[in-house]
Amino acid sequence: QVATLEALPIQYADYAVWQKQRLQGEYLQKLLGYWRQQLEGAPALLELPTDRARPAVQTHRGARYGFALPVSLTQRLRALGHEANATLFMVLLAGFKVLLHRYSGQDDISVGTPIAGRNRTELEGLIGFLVNTLVLRSRVQPQMRFIDLLERVKATALDAYAHQELPFEQLVEE
């Protein structure tokens, strides 16, 4: 039996044309303004302690450390997120930012994260690579309660999601 699939209402080329037309004029300036304000004065580097000096030229050589959280901890993290009306991603990001703050001693922490780029129902079934990168910046202060940091991280993430259409490459150029 031959499987039959419904034709998609739009193709990737349609999306590319739509995105190019949308990212112009006033809307583009609104997105650029948002990201300029969010990233103004952000540190260029996170100074983490390392076992050797940072090379003069970035090499991208490194390692990976994989781990799994116990189910009981994951359940508690989900419950914390539920209490704060935040996603598990937001809870884990807030925890990661605390870790980076403690290792670096810096309070201005920016983390880049991918986003699916499928913020419209027409794009959900579209075949193609729509992923974008968002920079989520937070101030982490030693005296903060974790729940207060989580609220900041949640607000930052939700704002970034609302302004996710600016391609990361274009933001870097600006």
Side-chain angles (χ1 to χ4, degrees):
Q1 172 137 346
V2 176
T4 58
L5 299 174
E6 279 186 39
L8 294 173
I10 61 172
Q11 300 295 319
Y12 188 80
D14 301 321
Y15 167 77
V17 168
W18 172 81
Q19 183 186 41
K20 186 175 181 177
Q21 290 172 345
R22 184 162 166 79
L23 292 177
Q24 296 180 30
E26 190 176 316
Y27 185 65
L28 175 61
Q29 292 311 309
K30 176 185 168 205
L31 290 174
L32 287 170
Y34 169 81
W35 287 108
R36 280 186 191 117
Q37 180 182 14
Q38 288 302 307
L39 301 176
E40 183 179 2
L45 295 172
L46 187 63
E47 296 294 341
L48 293 171
T50 59
D51 58 352
R52 55 185 64 93
R54 186 184 300 270
V57 177
Q58 191 173 17
T59 64
H60 298 285
R61 289 189 353 223
R64 181 187 313 208
Y65 177 78
F67 64 96
L69 297 177
V71 172
S72 61
L73 176 57
T74 304
Q75 289 171 338
R76 291 194 314 260
L77 293 170
R78 284 186 196 278
L80 175 61
H82 183 74
E83 285 177 33
N85 198 26
T87 65
L88 180 58
F89 169 77
M90 293 170 185
V91 174
L92 292 172
L93 180 60
F96 185 55
K97 287 185 177 219
V98 168
L99 180 72
L100 292 174
H101 165 72
R102 290 197 178 158
Y103 278 152
S104 69
Q106 293 173 242
D107 63 0
D108 192 345
I109 309 290
S110 296
V111 173
T113 184
I115 189 158
R118 297 177 186 271
N119 55 343
R120 299 174 63 98
T121 55
E122 303 93 348
L123 302 176
E124 289 175 6
L126 182 62
I127 297 170
F129 190 70
L130 280 59
V131 174
N132 194 15
T133 300
L134 299 179
V135 181
L136 304 177
R137 182 180 181 193
S138 304
R139 301 275 181 179
V140 181
Q141 291 141 348
Q143 72 277 11
M144 286 182 85
R145 296 180 320 145
F146 183 79
I147 197 73
D148 296 330
L149 175 61
L150 177 55
E151 281 299 319
R152 280 189 186 179
V153 167
K154 179 177 90 171
T156 298
L158 292 174
D159 278 350
Y161 299 161
H163 297 89
Q164 68 177 283
E165 289 185 57
L166 183 68
F168 182 70
E169 296 78 18
Q170 193 169 356
L171 175 60
V172 170
E173 283 178 27
E174 290 292 324

